[in-house]
Amino acid sequence: MPRLARLIALAFAVGLSLAPRPADARPLEAALAKFAADSFGETEAAIAATAASGDARAATIIAALQEGRLLFDPESRKVFIKEGARLVDAATGAAIGAPPAPLKPVRLNNRLRRAAEAALGGLTLLARDPGKRLEAAQAVFRSRDAGALDALDAAIARETEPRVKRALEEARAAVRLYTRGASAQEKLAAVAVIRGRGDQDALALLAGLPPDTPDVVKAAAADAIASIKGTLALWAALQNAWYGLSLGSVLLLAAIGLAITFGVMGVINMAHGEMVMLGAYTTFVVQEAIRTHNPALFDYALMIAVPLAFLVAGLVGVLIERGIIRFLYGRPLETLLATWGLSLILQQAVRTAFGPTNREVGAPSWMSGAFELGQLTITYNRLWIVCFGLSVFAALLAMLRFTRLGLEMRAVTQNRAMAASMGIRTGRIDALTFGLGSGIAGIAGVALSQIDNVSPNLGQGYIIDSFMVVVFGGVGNLWGTLVGALTLGVANKFLEPFAGAVLGKIAILVLIILFIQKRPRGLFALKGRAVEA
């Protein structure tokens, strides 16, 4: 019996030694032990070993290392991951209670950060989510880790998304371009791929080739650099043109109401900027009411604010015309001083009601984010403002062309005395025109609330630019206002990189003064009472 028991025990021990173990248990444990060595060299080896282990937790461990959440116990040499308020064992993923001893974070330097980024990229090259595969390809492109080359080849063979596949091919080209064992032909092919990418990252990659790169590859890289610089200069010009158009649309919204009042009534309204401010604060009040009573309608807040801002600013404009302006016709200096004083009163009233600090006006989901066209970045809020400005312009043109009020406004603009003799009540037209111009300024405030600070001084930043647009385009001419706004917007954005924002505006002002000396009536001179006056 004792002999039989010994035989059974021996067989059991042999069976245990021959039993299959988890394929990735030992490699991961060995890699984690290197993290606890507290050495940059061992940590780099641990990153590579963790990525090569094939363990499902490898990506989680490396991500924790990147974020500073990978800790180790100097005594037991165990490695843990901090997840919020709890700790988990890095090897098993099991939660633990109190740490066995004070834990130390695994240290990183820039080289290790690049290695971790490349390893994590290699691990996610075959992820199900195309977005994650794209991020992984970009990570490998930046790190140029030669160890990811096999994973890149496998990912490219499986990839079906064109955008992701192109990013993977660019990452492989970046790796081969910096791999010493690659042939000159492979490097030339890599240069061609990087040249097709054509952005700043590609330019930096080609400019930083190792000294031992073959001369033929250096020549191809130099040619690609020159081509990319030319392409980037073109895209930069297009980007500035887009910024200029978006700024021009803002100036159009701010100036179009002023063009109406100035053209029809000949009134220099220094309180026009405060109508813009009232529209912005109306938007703020609408959003606050929706946040308080029905947050589900937040995405519709701007649509609700547009007609309300028009009504509020338009009503204030009618009251200003009936209460102040109509007593000062024919006295431009007094009108200018009165409206300037009124602007100060409105600013102080808003400051008293809402406080002197900026107010937050949120953007709806459909105005958030951006998209790219080549190297051109277009934000949705600017795109919507451009479309909105052009829509307001088209609606105003249609109103002037096809409505009775528009017909009477045009008649008063061309010849006030003749219009009055034909039975048009010019006083009523003056009030409605001032209200219309102020209401459009209020609508401009709704748009400006999405790209500028909503404060009592909001309108002051646009009143001078609005007058420049109106005078440059032609007093009272809406098409001149459109052309003037877009021209000044684009000119500002092209001058800013060379002269700065302040000097750029000064240069624009000087150019407008010189232009008015040559053409006092602006780009599109308006015939009628405004000219005769």
Side-chain angles (χ1 to χ4, degrees):
M1 285 297 294
R3 183 179 180 183
L4 179 60
R6 286 196 299 273
L7 289 175
I8 292 174
L10 179 62
F12 182 72
V14 172
L16 283 178
S17 65
L18 297 178
R21 298 176 182 268
D24 54 358
R26 284 188 174 180
L28 182 62
E29 291 174 1
L32 291 175
K34 295 179 183 295
F35 282 120
D38 199 20
S39 163
F40 287 147
E42 288 295 307
T43 301
E44 186 173 12
I47 293 171
T50 302
S53 68
D55 192 278
R57 295 189 53 77
T60 303
I61 293 169
I62 295 176
L65 173 67
Q66 284 183 309
E67 298 166 5
R69 298 185 291 107
L70 195 65
L71 313 174
F72 69 93
D73 179 4
E75 295 182 3
S76 66
R77 316 283 282 185
K78 283 193 171 184
V79 181
F80 305 92
I81 297 176
K82 185 177 181 181
E83 294 183 352
R86 67 171 191 158
L87 285 175
V88 299
D89 191 318
T92 64
I96 65 169
L103 303 180
K104 295 177 62 178
V106 179
R107 295 183 300 146
L108 285 176
N109 57 18
N110 289 337
R111 180 179 177 181
L112 293 179
R113 289 187 182 91
R114 289 193 295 269
E117 184 180 25
L120 191 60
L123 287 171
T124 53
L125 285 173
L126 300 175
R128 292 184 179 181
D129 185 2
K132 291 184 177 180
R133 297 199 301 272
L134 182 62
E135 291 177 3
Q138 297 290 357
V140 176
F141 179 89
R142 290 189 294 269
S143 65
R144 304 187 295 274
D145 181 26
L149 198 54
D150 292 338
L152 282 170
D153 290 335
I156 290 171
R158 291 181 50 181
E159 189 57 59
T160 57
E161 292 284 339
R163 183 185 178 192
V164 179
K165 188 168 187 176
R166 184 171 63 253
L168 291 169
E169 290 172 347
E170 291 167 354
R172 181 175 63 181
V175 172
R176 284 183 173 172
L177 198 57
Y178 278 74
T179 301
R180 291 187 175 181
S183 66
Q185 293 299 322
E186 289 177 329
K187 289 180 181 290
L188 286 174
V191 168
V193 174
I194 300 301
R195 178 175 182 165
R197 180 181 175 113
D199 60 1
Q200 290 288 349
D201 291 334
L203 192 63
L205 190 74
L206 293 173
L209 290 179
D212 58 350
T213 303
D215 291 339
V216 64
V217 178
K218 288 183 178 179
D223 184 60
I225 287 173
S227 175
I228 291 174
K229 285 183 177 179
T231 302
L232 289 177
L234 177 61
W235 281 113
L238 291 175
Q239 188 74 65
N240 280 333
W242 165 249
Y243 288 151
L245 289 176
S246 62
L247 174 61
S249 66
V250 171
L251 294 178
L252 174 65
L253 284 171
I256 194 170
L258 187 63
I260 295 173
T261 56
F262 199 12
V264 174
M265 306 167 65
V267 173
I268 302 176
N269 180 19
M270 296 300 294
H272 183 78
E274 278 54 55
M275 303 300 104
V276 176
M277 174 196 65
L278 290 177
Y281 273 98
T282 301
T283 308
F284 166 72
V285 171
V286 169
Q287 283 199 355
E288 286 299 300
I290 288 177
R291 283 193 180 105
T292 303
H293 301 289
N294 195 347
L297 291 177
F298 184 80
D299 276 350
Y300 304 96
L302 291 186
M303 301 178 191
I304 299 172
V306 166
L308 290 178
F310 180 85
L311 291 175
V312 169
L315 179 60
V316 172
V318 171
L319 293 176
I320 292 172
E321 197 280 332
R322 290 287 87 186
I324 299 174
I325 302 297
R326 72 188 182 105
F327 301 109
L328 300 174
Y329 287 130
R331 299 156 64 186
L333 181 59
E334 287 86 343
T335 305
L336 187 150
L337 291 175
T339 53
W340 178 64
L342 181 63
S343 72
L344 298 180
I345 293 172
L346 290 174
Q347 288 180 47
Q348 188 57 46
V350 170
R351 192 175 285 111
T352 302
F354 296 97
T357 58
N358 296 339
R359 292 295 180 171
E360 178 188 359
V361 175
S365 60
W366 45 273
M367 287 186 71
S368 303
F371 64 95
E372 293 185 355
L373 293 175
Q375 302 295 325
L376 185 65
T377 302
I378 298 177
T379 55
Y380 285 111
N381 61 346
R382 291 280 183 175
L383 179 61
W384 278 110
I385 288 174
V386 170
C387 296
F388 181 66
L390 295 178
S391 300
V392 171
F393 179 80
L396 185 58
L397 283 179
M399 189 277 295
L400 292 176
R401 176 68 177 83
F402 299 109
T403 66
R404 180 181 179 85
L405 175 61
L407 177 63
E408 293 178 346
M409 284 176 58
R410 286 186 285 129
V412 173
T413 301
Q414 293 173 14
N415 193 316
R416 175 180 292 268
M418 182 62 72
S421 68
M422 297 296 293
I424 295 177
R425 296 166 57 190
T426 56
R428 172 178 170 273
I429 296 302
D430 287 339
L432 292 178
T433 300
F434 208 93
L436 176 63
S438 300
I440 293 175
I443 293 177
V446 179
L448 288 175
S449 69
Q450 298 300 302
I451 59 174
D452 206 342
N453 296 323
V454 177
S455 70
N457 300 320
L458 172 64
Q460 293 300 302
Y462 294 94
I463 184 64
I464 301 301
D465 288 337
S466 299
F467 273 108
M468 286 198 298
V469 168
V470 172
V471 172
F472 177 65
V475 176
N477 191 300
L478 294 184
W479 285 105
T481 304
L482 174 65
V483 175
L486 298 181
T487 301
L488 293 183
V490 173
N492 264 306
K493 289 303 177 182
F494 273 97
L495 284 175
E496 280 181 7
F498 304 101
V502 176
L503 290 179
K505 282 189 176 294
I506 293 174
I508 292 294
L509 180 58
V510 171
L511 291 174
I512 289 178
I513 292 173
L514 295 176
F515 176 80
I516 292 175
Q517 294 295 319
K518 186 71 174 176
R519 291 180 64 92
R521 298 176 185 174
L523 283 174
F524 299 91
L526 187 67
K527 297 180 180 181
R529 183 182 65 84
V531 177
E532 295 166 1

